[in-house]
Amino acid sequence: QVQLVESGGGLVQPGGSLRLSCAASGIIFSRYGMGWYRQAPGKQRELVAAIASGGSTNYADSVKGRFTVSRDNAKNTLYLQMNSLKSEDPAVYYCQVRTGIVPTWGQGTQVTVSS
């Protein structure tokens, strides 16, 4: 059974930084691409960043140059380093993996940006 557990969310001031983690179990982590998504109240869930099994990455235009996705295959963990956080970044952040037809999601971690 695939499980994803996010952590690292919290309250940060505008311009601040947070590092999110997503611990995976139940899969051979290194074989799969992973993604970070976010969902703000009243909005659809959107892709923030993704990293392939080989390490290539892609980002939403809104976070390019500020967020960095990475993975540690030895620790079965996905990361999202978020710098220069803005007022438009607050949301619940989810990690996702697709090992079959239906993707697996974590429970999410809340990110709040406020002064």
Side-chain angles (χ1 to χ4, degrees):
Q1 182 180 359
V2 182
Q3 286 191 320
L4 302 173
V5 179
E6 300 95 336
S7 61
L11 172 64
V12 64
Q13 292 186 341
S17 298
L18 282 175
R19 188 196 197 200
L20 306 184
S21 299
C22 171
S25 59
I27 58 171
I28 301 175
F29 183 77
S30 61
R31 289 186 178 179
Y32 297 98
M34 304 284 296
W36 283 104
Y37 290 73
R38 67 185 180 188
Q39 188 166 20
K43 294 187 177 181
Q44 289 189 330
R45 193 171 296 190
E46 61 175 356
L47 176 66
V48 174
I51 184 166
S53 57
S56 61
T57 59
N58 66 279
Y59 298 91
D61 287 344
S62 59
V63 307
K64 282 181 181 176
R66 300 189 297 122
F67 290 11
T68 302
V69 60
S70 62
R71 63 191 300 159
D72 185 334
N73 290 336
K75 295 183 178 180
N76 285 6
T77 301
L78 177 72
Y79 301 101
L80 184 67
Q81 178 67 44
M82 305 187 295
N83 298 329
S84 303
L85 282 160
K86 300 179 179 180
S87 58
E88 58 260 40
D89 294 321
V92 179
Y93 283 70
Y94 300 88
C95 62
Q96 184 234 57
V97 66
R98 186 182 295 272
T99 60
I101 296 174
V102 178
T104 299
W105 298 90
Q107 84 288 352
T109 186
Q110 178 72 51
V111 171
T112 303
V113 180
S114 176
S115 55

